[in-house]
Amino acid sequence: MKKNLTIKAFIVVMLTGSLVSCTKKLDLLPTNDITSATVYASAEGYKQAFAKVYGAFALTGNQGPAGNGDVQGIDEGTSDFLRLYWKAQELSTDEAVIAWGDVGIQDFHNMNWSAANPFLKGLYYRSLYQVTLANEFIRQSADDQLSSRGISGADADKIRQFRAEARFLRAFQYWVLLDMYGNVPLVTETDLIGVTVPKQADRKTIFAYVESELKAIEPALAAPKSNEYGRADKAASWALLARLYLNAEVYTGTKKYAEAIDYAGRVIGAGYSLINNYQYIMLADNQANTSENILTINYDGLRTQSYGGTTFLTHAPVGGSESASNFGISGGWGGARTTKNLPNLFPDYTGTADKRSQFYTTGQNLEIKDQSVFTDGFAVTKYRNVTRTGAAGQSLDFSDVDFPLFRLSEMYLIYAEATLRGGTGGVTATAVNYINLIRNRAYGNASGNVATISLDFILDERARELYWEGFRRTDLIRYGKFTTSTYLWPFKGGVTGGRSVEDFRNIYPIPTDDITANPTLVQNPGY
């Protein structure tokens, strides 16, 4: 059974009305006559409210997979954070295509999205919804609020730690908005709901805010590996800072590779180690991977049922002649595959040499002639709702696979890349050693080890190690290969052989609905 953070069908606040009103007023209304005075009347109430802040990462509403979504104006099954984030990060790249014809979904791979794209709108509002939940908890857990409610001693100390974690989760969502949309509304706990019109902040301001928040909360976070499974600690904060600094030049124009090395090194030095089998990373019992996973979104087939998250990632890639039972599911959705660029990064397609090569090829064509045909493109078998022993998860319809937001191998790769990019404090020999730790696990021995590394090698190694984990768009942008003709893949820009697209597509547009609702917002260039 999963050791998930307790998530009850208990909501402190609900975002109500259409998506249009979300950032204009950030309207939050009590549901079922529940008010903040009753919710936060006791330490137990704080714990339940805190669970919702985390739970919003894995759940789409209060009733289960459908029927009462947190974010209105989008199908609840597609409104999950991870499902939306994954589409924006992977379908827009060489790592993934999808067969479906939902309005707007083919825009990603064809790279012709607009400000009206429903999935980009959904991700934008999902992130802001989670920011709003965090803001409310942070507001209610200030020291003066605790004092006024007679909460003190050990209970107050625990709530202060909860508060620091809520600030981390808010910072994480602002990093997502920074990376995806650039210049976005910045709203904190000091902004009054329904009174303050959110003001847009530029990318440098959002970067500085995320950085300052993560540094400010560090003393209050639990020591690495000491918190409850699925909750943030100091190592999670360091990991997000390392990722932020690796991309700092893209976000702000200023390089911060020395800082990336520093914070990646802090995580590496915190006692983590790689698990012994790469194929165990995305299985139904991957809660056992605590030596490698730094922070996860927890999914439970019985308690966090939605059509997003890893339920999406285990079902969408299964189709053709694949056996659904091998994936611990009742049936596949025949959607997601990869282009030839990803399997071509491996010595072979079967995983005989590099065990990270997880593709289903029987009846699948390497070449893609039609994105809407599931058998065009290899299927990816990385996510499986089965345990290490092959037993199916708790449900054949909903996944038990937890999703690692951060894991150790990313920190190794950040250290290596930042060192090659000239960051002070990095040692090339140490970077090579970290890469070989990753490759030794992948090959099962030292046969895949390398003596030297280059930046292009690191980009390819990131694809081999982190594919379908939501990194590829950000990586290609950092390397100047997302929009340009220097790197092409099938149907990039909507043509069979691929083509360059306009550079403004390195940032997604602010949704049209929000521009309309909040006249103070300025659309990103090109849209």
Side-chain angles (χ1 to χ4, degrees), residues 101-179:
D102 308 56
V103 174
I105 199 166
Q106 294 298 337
D107 296 353
F108 285 114
H109 204 74
N110 293 332
M111 303 187 84
N112 62 353
W113 52 78
S114 73
N117 183 281
F119 300 101
L120 290 175
K121 181 169 64 174
L123 176 59
Y124 179 85
Y125 286 119
R126 166 57 67 175
S127 289
L128 287 174
Y129 170 76
Q130 294 187 208
V131 165
T132 302
L133 286 179
N135 278 341
E136 174 66 7
F137 185 86
I138 293 163
R139 184 182 300 112
Q140 297 294 341
S141 56
D143 282 346
D144 62 331
Q145 295 291 331
L146 297 180
S147 178
S148 69
R149 290 162 180 152
I151 299 174
S152 61
D155 285 339
D157 290 341
K158 183 178 292 184
I159 293 168
R160 291 186 185 102
Q161 183 180 327
F162 291 169
R163 190 173 196 262
E165 292 176 41
R167 290 174 69 181
F168 170 85
L169 297 176
R170 179 177 63 182
F172 178 86
Q173 287 298 340
Y174 268 116
W175 169 76
V176 170
L177 292 163
L178 163 71
D179 185 81

Side-chain angles (χ1 to χ4, degrees), residues 277-283 351 355-358 382:
N277 189 328
Y278 182 87
Q279 296 184 9
Y280 290 169
I281 289 174
M282 298 297 184
L283 296 184
K355 303 301 189 296
R356 296 173 297 185
S357 179
Q358 298 180 83
K382 187 170 185 175

Side-chain angles (χ1 to χ4, degrees), residues 26 35 62 64 147 241 247 253 271 273 280 290 351 360 476:
L26 289 174
T35 67
N62 284 327
S147 178
L241 278 166
N247 293 287
S273 61
Y280 290 169
T290 53
Y360 184 84
L476 291 175

